[in-house]
Amino acid sequence: TVPAFWDWLDAANARGVVFSIQRVRDELLVQEDELTEWVRHRGSAFFLHPDARTVAALAGVSAWASAQPRFREAAVATFLDAADYYVVAHASAHGLIVVTHEAPAPAAEKSIKIPDACLALNVAYVTPFAMLRDQGARFVLNT
């Protein structure tokens, strides 16, 4: 683990730069590890609840996913049941940037990747490393 990263997330959240959504929190609380403990200590300031704009955007994300002939029915169902669906909708509704380790997979049939949904719906996305670089994050070791 990198404790400074988690501290940076808290500080960035306090500045209104970084946050997640309730649906991600719900998925993370299913497991039992250090991340689960960290998540338990973060409230609605970090994990936002869906608002009316996000709920409205869900329809557009769902329509896009359902209209894609390349994805198997199970892939669409899995996507629409997961936090990824809500992340893309929230970002779409609010003009935000999604942060993900996933890479586009335009030939995929078995799963819908966040970047593919973002590209199709004109939602910006970056890797965590790009976010940290763009935000000027520094993790300095004391020697």
Side-chain angles (χ1 to χ4, degrees):
T1 65
V2 181
F5 172 75
W6 303 104
D7 293 342
W8 182 88
L9 283 178
D10 284 333
N13 176 256
R15 291 191 318 272
V17 174
V18 173
F19 58 87
S20 189
I21 61 168
Q22 186 65 39
R23 191 67 183 252
V24 170
R25 183 180 191 275
D26 295 345
E27 284 189 11
L28 293 173
L29 289 176
V30 172
Q31 55 197 26
E32 266 312 315
D33 57 19
E34 289 179 45
L35 179 56
T36 309
E37 277 306 305
W38 185 86
V39 167
R40 280 192 183 116
H41 292 90
R42 304 301 166 294
S44 60
F46 198 95
F47 293 98
L48 305 178
H49 290 274
D51 59 11
R53 288 170 54 189
T54 300
V55 171
L58 288 168
V61 178
S62 175
W64 168 81
S66 299
Q68 301 308 303
R70 75 173 196 236
F71 296 122
R72 295 181 180 168
E73 204 172 297
V76 173
T78 299
F79 178 74
L80 296 178
D81 192 44
D84 296 358
Y85 167 48
Y86 289 83
V87 167
V88 174
H90 190 96
S92 177
H94 295 279
L96 300 171
I97 301 170
V98 174
V99 179
T100 181
H101 275 296
E102 289 185 352
E109 297 176 350
K110 296 181 180 179
S111 67
I112 298 175
K113 300 295 183 189
I114 291 172
D116 293 318
C118 287
L119 288 168
L121 298 164
N122 296 315
V123 174
Y125 73 94
V126 296
T127 67
F129 300 113
M131 174 197 65
L132 291 169
R133 186 175 44 254
D134 292 347
Q135 291 297 314
R138 298 275 184 245
F139 305 114
V140 180
L141 297 175
N142 292 331
T143 56

